[in-house]
Amino acid sequence: MGDAVVIVGAGQAGAQLAMSLRQGGHAGPIRMVSDEPYLPYQRPPLSKKFLAEYRDPDSLFLRPESFWRDHHVQCELGAAAGEIRPKERRVLLRNGREIPYGTLALATGTSARALPVPGVDLPGVFSLRRIDDVVALRPAITAAERIVIVGGGYIGLEVAAVVRTEGRSVTVLEAEDRVLKRVAGPATSDFFDRYHRQHGVDIRLGARLVAIEADGRALRTRLTPDDALAADLVLVATGARANDDLAAAAGLTCQDGIMVDEFARTSAPDIFAIGDCTRFPSRRYGRRLRLESVQNAIDQAKAAAAVILGKPQPYDPVPWFWSDQYDIKLQIAGLAEGYEAVGTVGDPGAAHFSVEYRRGGRLIAVDAVNDARAHMLARRRIAEETAAVAETART
Ligand code: FAD
């Protein structure tokens, strides 16, 4: 098995790598190890439909068990990798087993960012990254009247939409001056802020949580010495950090993410890294990016597969992303950074519009609200209009 492709992390990126290798004709052994007890699954529904409808976890699986069996992809579930020994080409699992590899791919994703305030470990305080988080969270939501969500990013707002639709009282605490600040421009933030308030969500901007306190069987989220909100349940949704510890301990270069080149190669021979856990160079944007999106997980995995299959293609995507809240689908194409002009097309009042961001006359990003056509068009136009920038950087 020394020639095996071993994939650590069986999420969106790990699964895509295995699938693309088989599709591309790779005949050697492929082994995926995951510290979760589930076959590879899609995470986006965890804060949307799956949380609302709470079905069998199998409904999230990217492929049924038979697919992996038929394609001879060995899945070792509930098996965390604890150490990599690049010189020996081995992965040591925490259960004591050792796996030799010919090629290693790290697809370890992210973990919920720890919030450095007292009380985050109290019962009734949750985060949301995995199926097992929903397994714990869903019954607690069902039993709760008053829910406080810390963080007005897309996961916090998606959960707010789900629980508000169920008629529960929801407060969102956002430390910044607007919601969705990390992913969207002010016009998009304003639209979602208004939409949530119209649905009865209490959004508090500039609200910095300093502690969570126990209050009998309930909780109190404290903002200042005199300002605290009672809650039956607190969801901390303040972002994620790259799972790069394993790579860093093995001597691979990491900087808030595993550093890779445009072919998903790390600083160690025959070790690739893909998906949320990586930081990769983008000529298109003139800097390194760490993205948390299905698009990036799939496309970067395909890029790594192409290298392993001997057909390397540099990876320099136009990122895209989506979020579902109530009856609204937000689709973001490109990165709205360093823009000089913004324009709105369509009618925010009718919840059907897009916000276009331009730099140097070029379209660099579009936030489309309930407008799939505008989103698809934007992806093509941004790719074309930013390609020249990438080309200049290349020469
Ligand atoms: P993951 O899918 O996170 O998989 C990484 C896997 O590696 C995990 O199973 C992890 O447990 C495992 N692992 C980590 N360390 C080890 C180890 N040492 N040994 C073994 N296994 C290990 N993206 C969108 O584009 N649109 C959305 O609407 C959207 N919604 C989201 C909602 C939620 C609630 C979450 C959590 C994410 C959402 N995302 C969304 C982001 C998207 O799901 C991720 O970008 C994508 O899953 C990244 O894929 P990945 O394979 O890099 O990581």
Side-chain angles (χ1 to χ4, degrees), residues 7-16 32-48 62 76 78-84 91-94 106-111 127-130 133-134 154-156 158-159 240 243-246 274-278 291-298 300-301 320-324 329-330:
I7 304 169
V8 175
Q12 192 87 51
Q16 183 63 51
M32 275 195 295
V33 299
S34 174
D35 59 1
E36 293 191 77
Y38 303 102
L39 286 171
Y41 64 90
Q42 40 174 334
R43 252 162 250 276
L46 296 182
S47 48
K48 310 177 181 73
L62 291 166
E76 305 206 18
E83 190 183 339
I84 304 164
V91 177
L92 276 58
L93 303 185
R94 287 204 198 282
L106 300 174
T108 47
T110 54
S111 301
S127 60
L128 178 49
R129 301 292 314 166
R130 304 169 155 224
D133 294 333
V134 181
Y154 63 87
I155 292 179
E158 286 172 357
V159 174
N243 289 329
D244 59 4
D245 320 41
L246 192 65
I274 50 179
D276 279 15
C277 65
T278 69
L291 301 174
E292 292 169 20
S293 72
V294 168
Q295 170 277 317
N296 178 60
I298 290 178
Q300 201 179 25
W320 58 266
F321 187 81
W322 79 92
S323 174
D324 299 329
K329 183 175 277 295
L330 166 67

Side-chain angles (χ1 to χ4, degrees), residues 253-372:
T253 308
C254 296
Q255 274 174 31
D256 181 24
I258 305 169
M259 301 288 262
V260 293
D261 66 10
E262 65 270 48
F263 298 102
R265 295 179 298 211
T266 67
S267 58
D270 299 316
I271 304 184
F272 293 79
I274 50 179
D276 279 15
C277 65
T278 69
R279 191 171 282 283
F280 66 91
S282 166
R283 287 205 164 93
R284 208 180 277 282
Y285 291 98
R287 67 177 180 93
R288 283 184 169 269
L289 304 177
R290 193 175 77 69
L291 301 174
E292 292 169 20
S293 72
V294 168
Q295 170 277 317
N296 178 60
I298 290 178
D299 293 343
Q300 201 179 25
K302 288 181 179 171
V307 180
I308 297 169
L309 292 165
K311 299 171 191 161
Q313 283 287 332
Y315 175 63
D316 193 1
V318 172
W320 58 266
F321 187 81
W322 79 92
S323 174
D324 299 329
Q325 298 167 40
Y326 309 101
D327 53 348
I328 303 289
K329 183 175 277 295
L330 166 67
Q331 291 171 292
I332 297 177
L335 298 178
E337 53 183 35
Y339 54 86
E340 294 151 354
V342 192
T344 299
V345 181
D347 182 3
H352 184 88
F353 68 101
S354 45
V355 184
E356 301 186 341
Y357 305 85
R358 285 189 168 71
R359 188 174 55 222
R362 292 194 174 98
L363 189 68
I364 55 165
V366 173
D367 304 336
V369 171
N370 283 346
D371 194 345

Side-chain angles (χ1 to χ4, degrees), residues 19-220:
M19 290 191 281
S20 294
L21 285 174
R22 285 294 183 244
Q23 262 164 20
H26 182 82
I30 302 177
R31 295 174 81 170
M32 275 195 295
V33 299
S34 174
D35 59 1
E36 293 191 77
Y38 303 102
L39 286 171
Y41 64 90
Q42 40 174 334
R43 252 162 250 276
L46 296 182
S47 48
K48 310 177 181 73
K49 209 171 175 192
F50 185 71
L51 183 67
E53 298 178 359
Y54 197 41
R55 297 206 196 128
D56 195 319
D58 295 20
S59 64
L60 297 175
F61 291 175
L62 291 166
R63 295 286 185 277
E65 193 173 5
S66 56
F67 174 90
W68 302 111
R69 203 175 44 244
D70 294 349
H71 288 79
H72 305 287
V73 176
Q74 196 180 333
C75 300
E76 305 206 18
L77 306 178
E83 190 183 339
I84 304 164
R85 296 201 178 144
K87 285 200 183 116
E88 299 169 22
R89 291 176 173 260
R90 276 172 194 283
V91 177
L92 276 58
L93 303 185
R94 287 204 198 282
N95 63 17
R97 296 195 334 123
E98 293 188 12
I99 304 182
Y101 65 81
T103 303
L104 178 64
L106 300 174
T108 47
T110 54
S111 301
R113 191 180 294 282
L115 192 61
V117 303
V120 286
D121 297 329
L122 285 169
V125 182
F126 296 85
S127 60
L128 178 49
R129 301 292 314 166
R130 304 169 155 224
I131 286 179
D132 283 346
D133 294 333
V134 181
V135 170
L137 180 61
R138 185 59 252 190
I141 288 177
T142 304
E145 288 282 320
R146 302 158 303 175
I147 294 173
V148 171
I149 297 174
V150 187
Y154 63 87
I155 292 179
L157 293 187
E158 286 172 357
V159 174
V162 168
V163 297
R164 189 62 209 130
T165 302
E166 295 173 2
R168 299 172 209 287
S169 144
V170 189
T171 304
V172 173
L173 305 178
E174 171 52 60
E176 297 287 350
D177 56 356
R178 61 182 174 92
V179 295
L180 294 176
K181 189 164 185 173
R182 207 169 57 88
V183 293
T188 307
S189 296
D190 286 353
F191 171 81
F192 279 94
D193 185 291
R194 250 192 336 271
Y195 210 78
H196 276 275
R197 288 182 201 270
Q198 280 163 4
H199 282 76
V201 176
D202 178 10
I203 296 183
R204 306 219 177 166
L205 301 174
R208 204 164 280 279
L209 183 76
V210 296
I212 304 172
E213 301 159 356
D215 181 10
R217 292 179 61 191
L219 297 163
R220 255 193 325 261

